[in-house]
């Protein structure tokens, strides 16, 4: 079972109580009516989908109901840090993007690429 | 003259019974309930109006004279009164800004008791219910199978499981299954 630390409840809870809510730290333009279609597209649709560290919004929907932010490794699915909404984006560096023990496609299939 | 038809209110779990050698399942008696939302600056006034201290610590509860306030979130409580008191009026008398919704008939509750109570609940709930992680008085909104519940540990081997009335046959049924497993 994957446990996620809720910064509002202050404890680790099962992933079953949570729901993902997309990328974090996306600032909504304050001049929404003035921006171009391309700028709106960049704000609304375009995401990096990185391999490795990603900053995401999560919601403890079957718990305290709160949205919060999380730093997650998309390769190992490990939650590196969770923090309350509105808190600054933490500087996460030197965190390994892969863990040798994790069964990734590359690790299992070897040079099948 | 034709006899008049009378509409009777039936409890959602009327006549439900279940359990096993180690777990007793009892539908809780009817209660009035409000879903209460308020900011930190209104907690004091609401606490005096309701006659018990709204807990501000995560997962904490306050219980006195058949009335309980369960912390659900940083600004959200479930207040239950087993004596049927008018909680809406009590909250309104606080004179502080809040939102209260009467959910007396949306919810119903099941009392799960006995040495196998935690095991029976764990048949559908992923939380750690050991006394260390879940001491007496701890409450939380969580998940039980496909249903959302509010769980309160009333004593070492007694839990109150609050669920929406439409989910109550499912919750009671899965608890009954879990009770059978807990007895083995
Ligand atoms: Zn939470």
């Amino acid at each position: 079972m994957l446990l996620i630390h809720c910064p509002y409840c202050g404890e680790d809870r099962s992933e079953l109580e949570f729901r993902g809510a997309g990328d974090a730290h996306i600032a909504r333009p304050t001049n929404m009516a003035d921006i171009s279609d391309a700028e709106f597209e960049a704000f609304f649709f375009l995401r990096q989908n990185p391999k490795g560290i990603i900053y995401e919004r999560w919601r403890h929907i079957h718990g305290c109901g709160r949205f919060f932010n999380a730093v997650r490794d998309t390769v190992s699915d490990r939650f590196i840090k969770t923090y309350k909404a509105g808190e600054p984006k933490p500087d996460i560096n030197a965190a390994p993007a892969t863990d040798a023990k994790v069964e990734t496609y590359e690790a299992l299939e070897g040079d099948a690429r | 003259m034709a006899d008049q038809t009378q509409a009777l209110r039936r409890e959602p779990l009327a006549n439900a019974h279940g359990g096993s050698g180690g777990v007793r399942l009892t539908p809780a008696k009817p209660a009035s309930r409000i879903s209460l939302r308020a900011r930190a600056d209104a907690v004091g006034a609401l606490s005096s109006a309701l006659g018990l201290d709204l807990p501000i610590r995560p997962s904490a509860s306050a219980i006195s004279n058949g009335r309980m306030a369960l912390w659900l979130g940083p600004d959200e409580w479930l207040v239950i009164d087993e004596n049927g008191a008018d909680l809406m009026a009590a909250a309104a008398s606080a004179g502080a800004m809040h939102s209260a919704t009467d959910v007396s008939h949306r919810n119903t509750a099941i009392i799960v008791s006995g040495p196998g109570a935690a095991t029976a609940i764990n048949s559908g709930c992923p939380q750690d219910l050991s006394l260390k992680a879940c001491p007496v008085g701890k409450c939380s909104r969580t998940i039980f199978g496909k249903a959302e519940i509010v769980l309160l540990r009333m004593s070492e081997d007694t839990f109150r499981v609050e669920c929406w009335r439409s989910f109550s046959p499912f919750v009671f049924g899965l608890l009954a299954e879990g009770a059978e497993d807990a007895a083995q």
Side-chain angles (χ1 to χ4, degrees):
Chain A
M1 186 193 301
L2 177 64
L3 295 175
I4 301 172
H5 184 86
C6 172
Y8 293 96
C9 292
E11 59 180 17
D12 293 352
R13 296 284 194 87
S14 162
E15 61 176 313
L16 298 176
E17 295 184 0
F18 296 85
R19 194 166 295 170
D23 282 27
H25 302 292
I26 306 279
R28 181 184 171 85
T30 51
N31 56 339
M32 191 61 88
D34 303 328
I35 62 175
S36 67
D37 286 353
E39 284 167 329
F40 181 81
E41 180 195 27
F43 151 69
F44 203 72
F45 295 110
L46 302 185
R47 299 292 182 264
Q48 292 296 324
N49 192 23
K51 179 179 179 179
I53 301 294
I54 189 170
Y55 294 78
E56 291 173 316
R57 297 170 78 224
W58 281 76
R59 188 178 183 197
H60 195 186
I61 187 162
H62 298 301
C64 64
R66 284 293 161 137
F67 283 90
F68 59 91
N69 292 332
V71 191
R72 187 172 65 89
D73 189 321
T74 58
V75 177
S76 64
D77 207 19
R78 188 165 70 93
F79 279 75
I80 294 158
K81 185 183 169 73
T82 57
Y83 51 104
K84 290 180 179 176
E87 288 180 359
K89 187 175 180 174
D91 191 17
I92 305 289
N93 47 25
T98 53
D99 181 335
K101 287 179 297 233
V102 172
E103 292 184 348
T104 60
Y105 172 82
E106 289 80 359
L108 290 175
E109 301 298 319
D111 49 17
R113 288 182 288 175
Chain B
M1 208 170 96
D3 287 342
Q4 206 169 6
T5 311
Q6 295 251 326
L8 294 174
R9 187 185 290 283
R10 260 169 52 89
E11 290 304 316
L13 288 171
N15 305 322
H17 61 276
S20 66
V23 186
R24 194 164 58 247
L25 301 178
T26 320
K29 55 183 179 173
S32 47
R33 301 167 172 91
I34 55 170
S35 165
L36 181 64
R37 307 285 307 255
R39 294 207 172 125
D41 57 10
V43 167
L46 283 165
S47 294
S48 351
L50 290 166
L52 81 185
D53 286 339
L54 290 177
I56 49 174
R57 209 162 34 82
S59 303
S61 65
I63 303 173
S64 82
N65 299 324
R67 185 173 289 190
M68 42 199 129
L70 313 182
W71 186 98
L72 296 186
D75 63 356
E76 184 179 3
W77 296 266
L78 175 64
V79 186
I80 304 169
D81 189 288
E82 289 189 304
N83 303 315
D86 189 348
L87 292 171
M88 292 292 283
S93 73
M97 192 169 79
H98 67 276
S99 149
T101 307
D102 191 325
V103 293
S104 305
H105 299 286
R106 182 196 72 178
N107 279 24
T108 190
I110 302 160
I111 308 297
V112 186
S113 57
T119 310
I121 292 167
N122 272 146
S123 66
C125 175
Q127 284 202 18
D128 182 354
L129 298 181
S130 66
L131 269 170
K132 187 163 172 283
C134 182
V136 174
K138 182 172 175 178
C139 64
S140 58
R141 184 159 46 196
T142 179
I143 202 104
F144 182 73
K146 64 175 181 180
E148 189 174 279
I149 60 166
V150 173
L151 187 63
L152 167 68
R153 184 172 219 144
M154 299 162 71
S155 75
E156 209 164 300
D157 60 1
T158 309
F159 294 84
R160 182 184 181 97
V161 175
E162 285 269 331
C163 65
W164 288 25
R165 63 181 293 140
S166 54
F167 281 97
S168 62
F170 165 80
V171 171
F172 197 91
L174 189 54
L175 279 171
E177 297 284 338
E180 292 291 341
D181 292 345
Q184 284 166 16

